[in-house]
Amino acid sequence: MATLGELERSIMDVLWGSRDSLSAYDLQDALPDRKLASTTILTVLSRLEKKGFVLRDRSSRPHRYAAAADREEHMAELMHEVLGGASNRTAVLERFVGQVSAEEAETLRRILNGR
């Protein structure tokens, strides 16, 4: 899975938080502290599209962008990637489970029992 740089993550955070697709200008307005040119945002969106993180709607001008998957799916894929790269998956799972809260452990039990 492709990773996200700092600016890519900022843009994805806005897209993940939006119910609607957004134009580069919408993203520029949503990130005022970054003082980004719309061309910079378009370049990042193009990279994100190539990486499979965003979908572009070309039916209108300006083009609109939406996240290809939700934040939770992205995080789950990252977790799966880390686990897949481990030489000792059991040890990684034990350490992960050993660091979750009691509430999170109960959620894991409930999910696993439902499988």
Side-chain angles (χ1 to χ4, degrees):
M1 161 171 248
T3 58
L4 294 172
E6 181 186 341
L7 182 52
E8 291 173 328
R9 185 172 312 284
S10 294
I11 288 173
M12 286 307 302
D13 284 340
V14 174
L15 290 173
W16 280 323
S18 176
R19 293 180 186 254
D20 300 318
S21 59
L22 302 173
S23 70
Y25 301 112
D26 296 329
L27 288 160
Q28 187 178 31
D29 291 343
L31 300 165
D33 54 317
R34 301 292 300 246
K35 295 184 179 13
L36 300 168
S38 58
T39 54
T40 301
I41 293 173
L42 286 167
T43 299
V44 174
L45 286 167
S46 177
R47 285 197 317 247
L48 288 168
E49 183 181 21
K50 287 178 186 169
K51 291 180 177 184
F53 283 97
V54 300
L55 302 173
R56 179 174 18 173
D57 178 2
R58 293 179 168 98
S59 67
S60 66
R61 287 284 190 182
H63 294 171
R64 301 188 67 79
Y65 299 83
D70 61 28
R71 182 190 317 264
E72 292 75 15
E73 185 174 334
H74 170 66
M75 298 304 248
E77 287 180 21
L78 287 175
M79 292 167 65
H80 191 266
E81 182 178 326
V82 168
L83 186 59
S87 59
N88 186 342
R89 293 171 67 117
T90 301
V92 172
L93 285 170
E94 286 173 347
R95 288 203 172 113
F96 174 76
V97 171
Q99 295 176 0
V100 300
S101 69
E103 184 178 303
E104 292 166 333
E106 183 55 38
T107 300
L108 285 170
R109 276 188 207 88
R110 194 173 60 251
I111 292 167
L112 290 170
N113 287 335
R115 287 193 68 164

